[in-house]
Amino acid sequence: MRYSKLFGKTTFDETKDAELASHKLLLKAGFIRESVAGRYYFLPLGMRVRNKIINIIREEMDASGAQEMLAPTLHPLELWQETNRDNAGNFGLMRVQDRRGAEFALGGTAEEMFVDVVRKYQISYRDLPFNIYQFSQKFRDELRARGGLLRVREFTMKDAYSFDRDSEDFKQTYQTMADTYHKIFKRVGLETKMVLADNGYIGGEYCHEFIAETPVGESRYLESESGDYSAHEDVAVFQIDDMNPDEKVKGMETIDQPEWVKTMEDNEKHYGEPAWRFLKNVVYKNIETGEIIIATIRGDLEVNKTKLEKALDMVEQLDEAKPEDLEKIGTKPGYVHSWGHDAIYVADNSLKTVRNFIGGQKEDTTDTRHVNYGRDFTHEIEADLSLAQAGFKTSDGSERLVESVGVEVGNIFQLGTHYTDKMVGATFTDENGDERPFYMGCYGIGIGRTLATIAEKYHDDDGFIWPAAVAPFDVHLVALNLEDDSIKQEAERVYDDLESKGIEVLFDDRLDASVGQKFTDADLIGVPLRVTVSKRTVEGKYFEVKERASKETREINDFGLLIREIEKRKDKNAKLAW
């Protein structure tokens, strides 16, 4: 590719609002361009990286035995209605209507579509298991698009759906996909952690995220010091110790309390007691029904909203209550009671670890103390609601938890019969001729998120340093002083010879660009190897070669050696090309 003809050259005027390095550099280097918020054009350079990521995923998925297909982007809304996901909380489902009045969902995920196509066939146990996948555009009406390609409203995803006989057979499918994902991410240059996570609106009983560690990531997860346990903060568990098991239980009483005591910090200051001594109430509103939910927890712990929703059998339906919501149940911030309001109460398990709590019935000048859960009040719903934190003990008490953050680049889900129980005819015939629902799993990789994460991990102050397996080109050929016929002829010869060897070359053939501009753009674009042809190299009959990741330049006077140097970094059949 001649750089003079490339559509989407480097720019410096479109990056002022970008915050992340990956976002700034992808815009600046001419890989992407914003359309409207949360939607991006992939320019030719970006498409080359994107397609290489897709090809690696395709190779590994095919090697696992999965089969590629493609579903329509518009999903008949009645399919989503079959599973009751057309009203699924904050999923951000987008709908359209055709000229005949038929309603469709713009595909945000494709479980219903893949179940629908499978149930159109007569499947027997002999046909199982199988795994079918696609690369397709997805649409989600995100509340806040951010981070360039990391959180968008339209994106390409590889999504796969497996169909098994039962949970036992599914375990092997799930493990195969986990192994396949590790191979995929290693090939594109990402070290990932497989982290236990929440299924959310997808459904099922368990899932795992593949997280590439980076400080710009939105996924916070906790690990044991040994690394044997990894879990997203949404589901991470820990050991909650009894705080004062030997203390004598005292009778609850109402006591005077200054009016200024409203927050947990106020309590600690006034009573001179640690935070765990106090009852804490955190109030949410069900965004669909308007119901008020009060989570009661030990004062030193935080409520995990995802765990609370799980305890209430909800999916992304809770929002923090506002003062006007509290007014409806006769209270206000700082005055919420641990029992007695017209609300749904949920108790955290930590309430059973303290004797003689302080708090629970705050009024202007009084409160209660020596409050004991189980004797003085109880809640119908009890669950683990606590947000895990770094330094807490693992559930068996043997290690401490360590906190990390990163980008979720892929996920794998156990679905079980969550969809096939709801969708009529989603069954296979077993050995006895009986109809049984398929046992499913699903597996996603966000292409744009993966590209952005690679960009975030592989750059310096000057630009990208792409891993060879996903780099837009193998070689960046820079020709200096092209007005000199001898340089022009040599550069053209090198360009033609490299391309004839199957090497992908970006040839900077610009006549109006300075030496500094050409080198600056080469560093910014980040192709792994730069080859320079100049007056000096022509006269000396050598090539100046520089690896993007190195400050050093080398002189190579043998074209065959140059080819071998390039091929060392580019082996299309190698599993670790980078």
Side-chain angles (χ1 to χ4, degrees):
M1 180 70 210
R2 295 175 184 272
Y3 192 79
S4 62
K5 302 298 183 185
L6 179 70
F7 176 70
K9 294 181 175 62
T10 57
T11 182
F12 296 90
D13 61 349
E14 294 295 323
T15 63
K16 58 183 179 299
D17 295 326
E19 297 178 356
L20 302 185
S22 59
H23 190 193
K24 291 178 183 177
L25 291 174
L26 287 169
L27 289 167
K28 191 175 175 182
F31 284 71
I32 63 173
R33 189 78 172 222
E34 188 172 38
S35 169
V36 293
R39 291 181 168 86
Y40 286 87
Y41 298 102
F42 274 81
L43 303 178
L45 284 175
M47 279 297 289
R48 294 183 72 91
V49 178
R50 173 187 178 276
N51 289 342
K52 288 187 177 184
I53 293 169
I54 286 174
N55 287 339
I56 288 171
I57 295 171
R58 178 178 284 120
E59 287 174 12
E60 294 296 345
M61 289 297 292
D62 289 349
S64 77
Q67 304 169 68
E68 186 174 0
M69 59 168 283
L70 185 62
T73 300
L74 291 182
H75 302 179
L77 189 63
E78 57 264 27
L79 296 182
W80 285 71
Q81 290 169 339
E82 272 194 78
T83 59
N84 198 34
R85 286 210 304 170
D86 58 319
N87 297 311
N90 286 336
F91 173 65
L93 187 67
M94 301 182 71
R95 306 182 188 200
V96 297
Q97 193 175 79
D98 71 10
R99 67 178 65 192
R100 291 173 297 278
E103 289 190 286
F104 295 87
L106 276 170
T109 180
E111 287 76 17
E112 288 87 354
M113 290 294 283
F114 274 71
V115 172
D116 185 53
V117 71
V118 168
R119 69 179 174 178
K120 294 180 186 296
Y121 291 87
Q122 299 297 316
I123 304 292
S124 86
Y125 70 96
R126 295 184 183 89
D127 302 309
L128 301 176
F130 59 85
N131 190 348
I132 45 183
Y133 74 97
Q134 67 174 348
F135 294 95
S136 69
Q137 286 299 97
K138 297 291 188 290
F139 303 85
R140 292 182 189 170
D141 196 10
E142 286 282 356
L143 184 62
R144 287 179 290 273
R146 62 170 293 276
L149 299 180
L150 288 180
R151 183 166 289 277
V152 291
R153 296 186 172 105
E154 182 175 344
F155 55 97
T156 303
M157 178 182 280
K158 186 285 298 176
D159 47 331
Y161 302 88
S162 65
F163 294 80
D164 277 276
R165 295 169 46 136
D166 53 37
S167 61
E168 203 56 40
D169 287 356
F170 172 75
K171 289 177 184 177
Q172 181 56 55
T173 300
Y174 198 77
Q175 186 60 53
T176 297
M177 279 294 95
D179 295 341
T180 298
Y181 271 37
H182 283 301
K183 292 175 186 176
I184 288 169
F185 292 123
K186 199 163 190 181
R187 284 186 64 186
V188 302
L190 294 177
E191 292 294 331
T192 55
K193 292 283 179 68
M194 182 174 162
V195 174
L196 189 66
D198 177 58
N199 288 52
Y201 58 82
I202 297 295
E205 297 169 7
Y206 59 88
C207 75
H208 290 82
E209 291 182 0
F210 286 76
I211 297 178
E213 190 173 344
T214 167
V216 306
E218 296 178 315
S219 291
R220 174 180 170 269
Y221 62 100
L222 288 303
E223 287 189 286
S224 60
E225 293 161 310
S226 66
D228 291 339
Y229 174 76
S230 295
H232 192 281
E233 66 174 344
D234 287 345
V235 299
V237 296
F238 59 95
Q239 180 172 289
I240 302 180
D241 294 325
D242 288 334
M243 303 307 293
N244 55 346
D246 298 326
E247 187 170 309
K248 181 180 178 181
V249 174
K250 300 175 183 177
M252 185 179 75
E253 60 182 2
T254 300
I255 55 173
D256 293 333
Q257 179 177 273
E259 189 172 350
W260 60 265
V261 178
K262 294 183 175 68
T263 67
M264 191 56 58
E265 291 75 19
D266 294 340
N267 277 316
E268 291 179 87
K269 180 179 179 181
H270 175 66
Y271 289 98
E273 295 281 0
W276 61 261
R277 268 288 189 185
F278 301 92
L279 288 167
K280 179 161 66 175
N281 303 293
V282 184
V283 190
Y284 295 90
K285 181 174 75 171
N286 184 327
I287 59 177
E288 292 189 349
T289 67
E291 290 177 302
I292 300 300
I293 289 90
I294 300 175
T296 308
I297 194 168
R298 204 171 74 190
D300 61 325
L301 299 174
E302 301 297 328
V303 172
N304 182 326
K305 185 170 79 74
T306 301
K307 288 183 178 180
L308 177 59
E309 287 172 331
K310 202 103 172 173
L312 294 166
D313 197 23
M314 295 177 174
V315 177
E316 297 185 8
Q317 293 177 357
L318 296 183
D319 203 357
E320 289 186 12
K322 296 178 173 58
E324 54 266 32
D325 299 316
L326 299 184
E327 286 179 20
K328 293 176 183 176
I329 60 170
T331 188
K332 57 186 177 179
Y335 286 79
V336 178
H337 292 178
S338 297
W339 66 92
H341 291 310
D342 183 17
I344 297 171
Y345 278 95
V346 185
D348 181 57
N349 293 337
S350 64
L351 298 184
K352 300 174 183 178
T353 67
V354 174
R355 294 185 171 194
N356 304 318
F357 274 112
I358 301 171
Q361 295 290 289
K362 162 72 177 166
E363 299 294 346
D364 282 339
T365 58
T366 63
D367 207 335
T368 47
R369 69 176 177 182
H370 304 156
V371 180
N372 287 273
Y373 183 75
R375 183 196 67 183
D376 301 316
F377 75 103
T378 57
H379 296 332
E380 186 175 338
I381 304 172
E382 299 177 349
D384 169 21
L385 307 179
S386 301
L387 182 69
Q389 303 281 5
F392 287 5
K393 293 179 183 177
T394 54
S395 57
D396 64 1
S398 64
E399 299 180 67
R400 296 285 176 180
L401 293 174
V402 179
E403 179 181 320
S404 298
V405 294
V407 175
E408 174 202 349
V409 288
N411 47 50
I412 59 177
F413 293 85
Q414 174 267 7
L415 300 179
T417 59
H418 182 80
Y419 292 89
T420 53
D421 279 339
K422 295 176 181 178
M423 298 183 71
V424 176
T427 60
F428 69 95
T429 307
D430 69 11
E431 301 94 321
N432 301 317
D434 296 327
E435 297 293 314
R436 290 170 50 194
F438 294 105
Y439 198 97
M440 290 181 63
C442 72
Y443 319 90
I445 295 177
I447 308 303
R449 286 175 71 85
T450 299
L451 189 156
T453 306
I454 298 168
E456 199 66 47
K457 297 279 283 186
Y458 291 93
H459 73 269
D460 60 17
D461 291 340
D462 297 321
F464 293 118
I465 310 173
W466 293 106
V470 298
F473 292 91
D474 304 319
V475 173
H476 196 136
L477 176 62
V478 177
L480 308 180
N481 307 116
L482 277 168
E483 64 275 4
D484 186 315
D485 284 343
S486 64
I487 298 172
K488 180 176 175 56
Q489 289 174 11
E490 177 65 1
E492 293 284 354
R493 182 189 69 79
V494 172
Y495 178 50
D496 290 341
D497 287 351
L498 288 173
E499 287 215 315
S500 72
K501 300 288 185 182
I503 292 166
E504 298 169 337
V505 185
L506 179 60
F507 176 22
D508 193 338
D509 62 336
R510 290 175 293 176
L511 294 171
D512 58 347
S514 68
V515 171
Q517 185 179 353
K518 288 188 175 187
F519 284 158
T520 297
D521 286 347
D523 283 345
L524 178 58
I525 293 168
V527 172
L529 208 63
R530 188 186 79 200
V531 176
T532 302
V533 176
S534 65
K535 187 72 173 176
R536 186 176 61 180
T537 66
V538 169
E539 291 175 347
K541 296 184 178 179
Y542 66 86
F543 307 101
E544 184 182 273
V545 178
K546 179 182 178 296
E547 292 190 43
R548 175 61 183 85
S550 171
K551 300 293 184 187
E552 308 275 326
T553 58
R554 290 184 297 146
E555 296 175 359
I556 295 179
N557 58 13
D558 181 341
F559 187 73
L561 178 60
L562 175 62
I563 297 297
R564 290 192 293 275
E565 285 286 316
I566 295 167
E567 288 179 342
K568 262 196 241 176
R569 294 158 179 79
K570 177 186 180 290
D571 178 359
K572 286 187 175 179
N573 297 314
K575 293 301 182 186
L576 283 172
W578 60 281

